Amino acid sequence: MAKSIQRMVLIVVSVIMLAACGMSNEKVVEKSKEAMDDAKSMKIEFNEKETNGVSTGTTYTMDKGEQFRIEYDNRDSVLYGDEDVILLQEGSYVRDLSADRDNFNVETIIELLVNPLEVFEDIDEDFLEHIEIEKEDEEITLKYIGDEDDEDALLDMGKAYLKVTLSDQENRDFDEIDVSKFSLTMKIDAETYLANKVHLKVTYEEQGIENEMNQKYTYEEYDEIEEIEKPELDSSENISDTNSSSEINSPEGTELDPDVVEGAGEYVEALIYATVYQDEKAFVSSAPSSMSENEAKEHAKLQKESFREIYKSNTKGNMAGLNVTEEQFDQLTDAFLDAISKGEFKVLTSTAKDSGNVVVTVSINGINNTKVYEETEKKLEEAIAANENMSQDDIVSKNLEILIAEYKNAEKIKEAVEVPVNVMVQNGQYKVLLQDEYLNGFVQ
């Protein structure tokens, strides 16, 4: 959907570049790297879209990324890091992820944010020959164009970028990842050479599932941040250390009662009913026995309504600046929810990971969202070709009309995928921090 809207906007709005900045690629890159390296602190607004969800928020960094704090808009959570610890705060609950920081890969991503060009040069030794630089008003625009004599060079850069940035490195086989599209655009202040914006797009297939990554970063407040707040690990109640890999999935290494572990699977089942299927009654009937009926009813209503509102809110953010009515947002949200409810699922296993976490494995037959996007883009292009005088507002409305119809006709994928869902357990209560973990199975 976002891809189609963005493509449509490109059709309507043409950008005219001004004269070249009169500096070599090497000079611009070196001056930008030096400026970013000299910056003591920075604030970065991020909007990271993938096929199955959107993550927005703000990253604060100090001392060249040695200390950072990531605040997420669409969930009540904060990720903090320094040279000693990695902490995840969800509401008032704080987890220490330090033992798993190498696989977590967050430092590499922070390095990329703090000095993008330095990391890109490390990824591609011929980076300077593979970029194009132009000046537009007070900004310098840098685009990665690859090697004109090697069609695969651009895609190789995309794959190398994924190797650097994708999380869960240990469990990924990057030889099985196939990149089909990659683009990088960076806006640099022409006076200070500090980054203003970075925009990355990657389309890749992994385990038969196509993913579209669209990441936008906007830089603000250089050298204005004096302190970064660190979450407090102030009581044993709030501390959950990640065990070493040898202890993962070992029941002997946990303190969780088998009934609690089983309840985590029941909670995931109930949660899927409330969110994906928008079915409060099914949540109540599937909820673990540790939840009272009144508690289950309240939780079901909250999860059902918040899931819908988060999708609608994210969609509004994706279409910011376009003339879309509240009714159209509601229609699209209803169509999406109706489409994913065609999927089928089954909870397979619940395995204790440590004293505060359970991994629930779910088998899911979701909808073919990739085909929805492809058909929407194809039909939108045909509509524009048939009526070249369509206004931008007309194109937006047509795009939504087609997308809604495609969701109503969405097909279920026959082959199921198995996805792990991490459940946090605290004082007998269950919490799934990343609902995208199972949503990725329903939207393939």
Side-chain angles (χ1 to χ4, degrees):
M1 170 186 58
K3 174 182 174 184
S4 299
I5 288 289
Q6 289 159 358
R7 184 184 182 94
M8 173 274 297
V9 173
L10 290 175
I11 293 171
V12 175
V13 183
S14 61
V15 178
I16 302 175
M17 289 292 189
L18 301 182
C21 57
M23 298 181 67
S24 67
N25 289 359
E26 182 178 7
K27 191 70 173 179
V28 171
V29 169
E30 285 304 313
K31 289 178 75 69
S32 180
K33 285 163 54 181
E34 289 174 6
M36 297 297 287
D37 194 54
D38 290 340
K40 296 179 178 62
S41 65
M42 62 187 74
K43 171 184 174 182
I44 307 158
E45 302 284 350
F46 62 87
N47 186 315
E48 299 173 331
K49 305 175 188 174
E50 294 197 38
T51 299
N52 303 318
V54 179
S55 181
T56 63
T58 307
T59 298
Y60 302 89
T61 75
M62 292 182 67
D63 302 324
K64 301 179 183 180
E66 290 295 324
Q67 186 182 24
F68 62 87
R69 178 182 173 93
I70 306 174
E71 299 178 354
Y72 297 92
D73 291 338
N74 47 347
R75 56 184 187 270
D76 183 19
S77 63
V78 170
L79 185 67
Y80 169 89
D82 57 34
E83 60 183 3
D84 298 320
V85 296
I86 299 286
L87 303 174
L88 175 64
Q89 178 177 347
E90 184 73 15
S92 61
Y93 178 63
V94 180
R95 290 178 61 199
D96 188 341
L97 304 178
S98 305
D100 200 31
R101 71 187 297 159
D102 290 339
N103 192 41
F104 202 55
N105 203 38
V106 68
E107 274 99 342
T108 305
I109 297 171
I110 294 297
E111 288 175 8
L112 178 62
L113 294 178
V114 169
N115 203 328
L117 293 179
E118 190 167 77
V119 175
F120 290 136
E121 275 202 307
D122 286 341
I123 294 175
D124 179 5
E125 60 182 13
D126 296 320
F127 182 76
L128 295 174
E129 287 74 43
H130 293 165
I131 59 174
E132 180 179 83
I133 290 178
E134 297 185 64
K135 185 175 180 182
E136 180 185 7
D137 296 332
E138 301 303 317
E139 281 188 325
I140 297 169
T141 299
L142 181 153
K143 290 185 178 180
Y144 190 88
I145 58 174
D147 189 337
E148 294 181 357
D149 298 325
D150 182 0
E151 294 181 0
D152 293 331
L154 198 66
L155 304 185
D156 289 343
M157 178 63 169
K159 190 165 188 176
Y161 170 75
L162 293 178
K163 285 184 179 180
V164 170
T165 58
L166 285 181
S167 62
D168 197 19
Q169 300 281 309
E170 290 182 0
N171 297 321
R172 278 196 148 102
D173 184 355
F174 285 94
D175 290 335
E176 298 298 319
I177 292 179
D178 181 27
V179 176
S180 56
K181 294 180 184 177
F182 174 78
S183 69
L184 160 64
T185 303
M186 183 172 174
K187 300 285 187 177
I188 302 169
D189 187 278
E191 181 178 353
T192 65
Y193 288 92
L194 292 167
N196 285 341
K197 295 181 180 181
V198 174
H199 186 188
L200 285 144
K201 297 177 73 174
V202 190
T203 301
Y204 66 99
E205 184 176 294
E206 182 178 16
Q207 295 182 343
I209 300 173
E210 186 174 82
N211 297 279
E212 294 186 4
M213 183 185 290
N214 189 346
Q215 301 172 319
K216 296 180 181 180
Y217 304 96
T218 303
Y219 291 75
E220 303 171 347
E221 299 181 15
Y222 285 102
D223 295 337
E224 295 182 20
I225 301 167
E226 298 181 357
E227 183 181 2
I228 292 180
E229 182 182 355
K230 179 180 179 179
E232 292 289 339
L233 281 169
D234 54 2
S235 72
S236 58
E237 234 176 48
N238 282 345
I239 301 176
S240 173
D241 294 321
T242 303
N243 290 346
S244 65
S245 58
S246 63
E247 296 173 345
I248 291 177
N249 296 332
S250 172
E252 292 80 5
T254 73
E255 299 176 0
L256 288 177
D257 185 278
D259 290 340
V260 175
V261 177
E262 182 180 354
E266 293 170 343
Y267 177 76
V268 169
E269 179 177 346
L271 185 62
I272 290 174
Y273 279 127
T275 55
V276 174
Y277 295 93
Q278 296 282 283
D279 190 336
E280 295 180 43
K281 290 183 178 179
F283 179 99
V284 175
S285 62
S286 303
S289 58
S290 59
M291 297 182 75
S292 68
E293 185 173 351
N294 285 339
E295 183 184 4
K297 287 180 179 179
E298 291 176 1
H299 200 72
K301 182 177 181 181
L302 173 65
Q303 292 295 338
K304 174 185 175 182
E305 293 177 353
S306 63
F307 187 83
R308 187 183 193 282
E309 286 307 308
I310 287 172
Y311 175 81
K312 183 178 175 181
S313 176
N314 286 343
T315 303
K316 284 185 174 182
N318 297 346
M319 299 184 182
L322 299 177
N323 188 15
V324 182
T325 67
E326 193 72 17
E327 182 182 2
Q328 287 174 315
F329 281 125
D330 282 330
Q331 290 173 347
L332 179 56
T333 301
D334 290 340
F336 173 76
L337 292 174
D338 181 62
I340 62 175
S341 69
K342 296 175 182 177
E344 297 177 349
F345 79 100
K346 182 180 181 181
V347 173
L348 301 178
T349 60
S350 298
T351 307
K353 184 175 180 183
D354 55 43
S355 60
N357 297 275
V358 176
V359 177
V360 177
T361 302
V362 186
S363 173
I364 304 173
N365 297 84
I367 64 165
N368 192 337
N369 202 50
T370 299
K371 185 175 180 180
V372 168
Y373 285 159
E374 290 174 348
E375 288 298 314
T376 299
E377 183 173 358
K378 176 185 175 183
K379 291 178 180 179
L380 180 61
E381 290 175 346
E382 291 173 351
I384 294 172
N387 186 359
E388 296 180 355
N389 296 322
M390 290 177 71
S391 67
Q392 180 175 349
D393 287 348
D394 290 338
I395 296 174
V396 170
S397 294
K398 192 65 177 177
N399 190 98
L400 290 170
E401 176 189 325
I402 297 169
L403 183 58
I404 290 169
E406 289 302 315
Y407 270 131
K408 289 181 178 179
N409 296 319
E411 298 176 359
K412 185 172 64 178
I413 292 176
K414 294 181 180 179
E415 186 174 349
V417 296
E418 293 185 6
V419 298
V421 181
N422 288 279
V423 183
M424 189 181 295
V425 184
Q426 183 186 21
N427 298 327
Q429 301 295 313
Y430 301 105
K431 196 165 193 178
V432 173
L433 299 183
L434 297 175
Q435 293 181 0
D436 282 353
E437 289 180 332
Y438 62 78
L439 185 60
N440 286 343
F442 283 95
V443 186
Q444 297 179 31

